[in-house]
Structure formats: C-alpha cells, structure tokens
Amino acid sequence: MIATAKMIQRVVLYEAVGAKRLDPSLRHDLMRVLLRGGYSVSRVLAGDRLVPLGHSSLIVLGQFEGELPEKLADDNGSVQVLVRDISGMEPPAIATLVQELASETGEGTAAGWKPWFPVIDYDRCTNCMQCLSFCLFDVYGVTNDGKITVQNQTNCKTDCPACSRVCPEVAILFPKYKAGPINGDEVNADDIRREAMKVDISALLGGDIYSMLRDRSAKAKSRFSKERDDERALKERQRCLKKLQESAGMMDIPGEVLSSLPSLDQIQEKAVQAKQRAADAIELRDRQAGRNQSNAHPGS
Amino acid sequence: MSQENQSQPPLLYCNCSYAKVVPEDVKQEVLRQLSESGRSFEAVADLCEMSAKRDPALIELLKQPRLRIAACYPRAVKWLCSAAGAPAPDDAQVVNMRILPADDVMQNLMSNESGEEST
Ligand code: SF4
Ligand code: SF4
C-alpha cells in the first residue's frame, strides 16, 4: 500500500439548522470546484447526523443566519472544526478560502495522479503466483498467510495492464482500464478462452530466459565464455526488445514502459528474483494448506 | 456520511477525477442532479486513490448500511474496497456511471428499494 500520513480534507456544505439552503447552481459549482481541487465534500441537511469519518479537522461552509455552529453532531471536541460563512461569495473565492484553511489544518487533497494499479478479484484468484513471478517491478507480494497481494501500487507502470494478461483466471483488474473484463466488467467465456493463451515473461522477453541463464553458467566454464556471452547478450537484448515491441499491441503496453524497461541483465536478475519469490510463496502457500488440513482432520 | 431521512439510503459519488473512463457528461450530469436534489450525499475525488492510500474515511464510509455508490463497474469497486481493507457490505449497491445514462444512474441512486448491483 501507499504510506500516507494525511487524510483527504473533508469539506462540509452545511445547510442544516441555522443556515440557509444554498442556491442549487452554487452548490453544484462548489461541488465541482472542490472535487477538482481534490477534496472530499459532504452535503448536510436539516435532520442529518454528521457521521465522523476519522478526520482530525473539518472545513464547514454555509450561509449562516444566526450564530455559527460551533459544534457538529457526534463531534466530541477532538475534531478541529473551521466554520466559515460564504454568504455573497463566488465559487472561485470559496475555493481559495478552502485552500487557505486546508493549509492550516494540514490535511491533504487527492494527489492529482492517476491511480493505476492492479486490484485482485479474490473470487476468481487461485493463488497460482503467476503475477508475482511475472512482474519485474515488485508490485505483487505475499501476505504472512501465503496469499497473493498487491503491495507496491506506486511501482506499477501507468496504463500498463500487462500482468492482467498473464493471469489465467482473469482475476486482475485495472479499474481505470478502457476495456473489459480488465476494467471490472463481467468475465465471459470468451475472455477466459482468450486469457488461456497465457503470456510467458520469458517468451515475451525473447526466448527462455531461465534456460539461457543455465546455458550461460555452462558456458562460463569455457575460456571464451566472456566474449561469447557479451555478444550473445547484446543480440538477445535486441531480439527481446523487437519481440516485446511486436507483442505490445496485443499486450497494450505503453511505449514509455517499453522504453523504460531495465537492461537485459537487470531483467534477468529481476526475473530470477521474482521466480524465487513466487517459488517461496508457493511453498508457504502449500505449507499453510497442509497445516489447515491437519487442523481440520487432527490425527488423520 | 449522513442522510436527511433514515429511510433513505446514504449516497456516495465518485468523481473519478484522474481518468476519462467515466463519460464526462454522465459524471457532470449525475453530480448536477445530485446537487440539485433534496438529498444529502458524500462526494469523493477518486475512490481508486482512496483505496490505494487505504484512506480511513473510505473504511468509515463503507460501514454505512444500504450505501449506494455512483462509480464504475461493481466488480471493480468491490475489490477496490476490499483492497483498502474496507469490504463493501452485502447490501451496498454500486451504480455504474461507465455504462448507464445519467438519468438511469439517478433513478438507481434515488429509488428506495434495496436492489441488485446495477451494471
Ligand atoms: S496470476 Fe491471477 S490467479 Fe494467479 S495469483 Fe495472480 S491474480 Fe491470482
Ligand atoms: S472507483 Fe471507478 S469511478 Fe471511481 S475512481 Fe476508480 S475507476 Fe474511477
């Protein structure tokens, strides 16, 4: 997950006791402008209960008729409440006011980045670890109880849905992807057939990397191995990139991702590490399954 | 967060701020109609980002019974919430702004019946 010290600033449009109802078009404009600014916005009407969402501060805006509400329902005093009268103000001025208040509270806003990361549909996932061994960027990890998880979302390459293609169960979603079923649309039989043509990272990167590595260690015994390996590595890298580019249409891998791929040596190293992590995870998973079974049938 | 009338389900609107996957006209029209309705509601800039950050507010929002969420595909929202450690309750209903016209989205959000997920 992404570590965050700050919650997103919550702005309350207060239209309850002691305040006028906002003009509907002002309310809509405010909603738009505040959401665009990355805030969360709550509209409160008379009779509402303000459910605390865990924020340490609230910005409360309203067109107040009498005294400003000092306290809001359910607020036990631990929440810093900044109340401002916005009578006669236009949305841009209100947005500036909110910005100033938010810098006072120290709460954050949505970051303005496109959140792009895989989400696992555990109703479909069989915990096979293919995604873990595929991803070169350590996006996937394994929980203590041996379950595949997405642990480094920000390592994921924006707009690249490649790992969803390796999942044999169509269990990897990118909610912001353009097409189904990767975007979360229902999975149909055709999708399953298509995804059954799994893409193998080693094939994708120009041949079987693992056997190439085995090859290399055998060749290392040869006195000519150094030059031969260098020459071969260069050729192999060229072949890999060409192949990857050709496959990119099918995989929908963006050009920037292709051009920022690590060198072949780094890829090889990563692939070996990822494969090892997947192997460890499978071992852990199987141990866990064995333990569960013996707990379910003690003495058998 | 809150509701004017306890018999009405609470509403959550996702503005999907950082991608163009929800048609802009649908998103804006739903927000306009919600803003002009007599209902209170919660609006967030981007549920995906809240999920990635495991924002505690998302966890609290999802604790509300009979929540209606205007966002995208129900399967995506379900697993985004789960990834944030905030599994959506069984009675939550996700209304899909990626495929439904704004009026249908509003109808689903505003109806008082407990319904199936709207895809
Ligand atoms: S490849 Fe798919 S089924 Fe296998 S562990 Fe990853 S998400 Fe689950
Ligand atoms: S949950 Fe769906 S609608 Fe909301 S930000 Fe994510 S992709 Fe967009």
Side-chain angles (χ1 to χ4, degrees):
Chain A
M1 90 185 218
I2 300 164
T4 174
K6 291 177 180 175
M7 286 176 76
I8 291 173
Q9 179 72 59
R10 185 183 185 193
V11 180
V12 178
L13 300 187
Y14 185 86
E15 301 179 62
V17 180
K20 283 200 272 195
R21 283 261 181 137
L22 299 176
D23 177 75
S25 68
L26 172 67
R27 188 187 304 121
H28 176 219
D29 287 349
L30 264 181
M31 280 281 174
R32 256 202 347 226
V33 106
L34 292 173
L35 287 171
R36 210 181 300 137
Y39 302 99
S40 296
V41 192
S42 315
R43 181 186 181 201
V44 191
L45 292 162
D48 278 352
R49 194 174 71 86
L50 184 69
V51 176
L53 299 179
H55 296 86
S56 56
S57 73
L58 291 175
I59 295 174
V60 180
L61 307 175
Q63 294 179 342
F64 298 103
E65 295 179 303
E67 300 227 334
L68 302 189
E70 275 170 23
K71 261 173 83 73
L72 293 167
D74 289 356
D75 163 25
N76 60 12
S78 60
V79 181
Q80 178 191 18
V81 182
L82 301 173
V83 184
R84 292 296 182 272
D85 193 333
I86 54 166
S87 301
M89 289 173 76
E90 294 294 323
I94 300 171
T96 309
L97 171 69
V98 168
Q99 209 178 351
E100 285 164 10
L101 294 172
S103 65
E104 233 175 86
T105 66
E107 302 245 32
T109 55
W113 54 278
K114 180 175 175 179
W116 180 270
F117 53 88
V119 174
I120 298 173
D121 174 346
Y122 288 102
D123 282 346
R124 305 193 63 85
C125 172
T126 55
N127 219 23
C128 71
M129 306 292 164
Q130 300 250 13
C131 49
L132 182 75
S133 69
F134 174 86
C135 180
L136 296 172
F137 305 104
D138 299 334
V139 170
Y140 294 91
V142 180
T143 61
N144 288 339
D145 56 353
K147 196 166 142 190
I148 189 76
T149 187
V150 177
Q151 66 181 14
N152 296 313
Q153 284 101 328
T154 43
N155 283 7
C156 193
K157 303 292 169 197
T158 304
D159 289 335
C160 175
C163 62
S164 66
R165 307 280 194 203
V166 300
C167 174
E169 308 298 335
V170 205
I172 299 177
L173 313 178
F174 285 86
K176 286 180 161 60
Y177 188 63
K178 56 181 186 273
I182 295 173
N183 60 13
D185 198 356
E186 287 314 314
V187 180
N188 61 38
D190 277 352
D191 295 323
I192 296 173
R193 254 196 311 278
R194 205 169 32 244
E195 304 303 325
M197 305 183 316
K198 286 180 297 176
V199 179
D200 180 326
I201 181 69
S202 51
L204 186 67
L205 294 175
D208 185 345
I209 282 179
Y210 304 111
S211 70
M212 199 176 109
L213 284 173
R214 275 197 305 275
D215 245 31
R216 278 187 155 200
S217 70
K219 294 252 166 63
K221 289 176 188 129
S222 149
R223 64 194 174 104
F224 300 115
S225 63
K226 177 93 184 50
E227 303 93 273
R228 293 235 296 269
D229 278 357
D230 280 352
E231 196 187 322
R232 180 174 176 159
L234 185 67
K235 278 212 182 103
E236 194 65 19
R237 178 160 169 68
Q238 284 160 346
R239 198 159 72 82
C240 288
L241 284 173
K242 193 158 167 272
K243 199 155 182 174
L244 196 54
Q245 254 136 15
E246 282 163 10
S247 331
M250 186 266 280
M251 297 280 286
D252 211 3
I253 302 174
E256 310 88 80
V257 176
L258 289 178
S259 59
S260 67
L261 275 179
S263 71
L264 185 64
D265 281 348
Q266 287 165 326
I267 288 177
Q268 284 170 341
E269 202 180 310
K270 280 273 179 194
V272 170
Q273 284 168 359
K275 200 174 188 185
Q276 187 56 50
R277 287 169 69 216
D280 293 347
I282 286 170
E283 206 185 303
L284 174 69
R285 177 195 70 187
D286 293 347
R287 256 206 323 269
Q288 206 77 35
R291 209 172 297 145
N292 291 345
Q293 211 163 29
S294 58
N295 283 346
H297 308 287
S300 63
Chain B
M1 158 190 87
S2 44
Q3 56 212 38
E4 191 164 28
N5 174 332
Q6 294 297 316
S7 70
Q8 290 174 330
L11 305 175
L12 172 61
Y13 166 88
C14 175
N15 197 50
C16 199
S17 292
Y18 307 111
K20 296 199 171 75
V21 292
V22 174
E24 191 61 27
D25 54 341
V26 174
K27 212 166 70 171
Q28 288 312 328
E29 181 58 15
V30 170
L31 184 61
R32 188 188 68 75
Q33 291 195 31
L34 269 176
S35 300
E36 295 182 359
S37 74
R39 293 279 294 275
S40 53
F41 63 98
E42 295 290 332
V44 298
D46 196 291
L47 270 180
C48 284
E49 181 175 348
M50 290 180 94
S51 164
K53 289 181 168 173
R54 291 189 168 223
D55 192 317
L58 177 60
I59 298 171
E60 295 303 320
L61 280 167
L62 290 166
K63 283 183 185 162
Q64 299 176 95
R66 299 188 305 138
L67 181 65
R68 302 261 166 98
I69 307 170
C72 55
Y73 288 99
R75 193 164 71 97
V77 176
K78 172 181 175 177
W79 293 109
L80 270 170
C81 294
S82 158
D90 289 344
D91 63 0
Q93 189 188 342
V94 180
V95 186
N96 189 348
M97 293 193 289
R98 280 183 85 154
I99 60 163
L100 290 175
D103 288 344
D104 291 4
V105 172
M106 286 308 294
Q107 209 168 14
N108 278 291
L109 290 176
M110 295 300 187
S111 80
N112 256 345
E113 303 140 28
S114 64
E116 285 297 296
E117 287 178 340
S118 308
T119 55

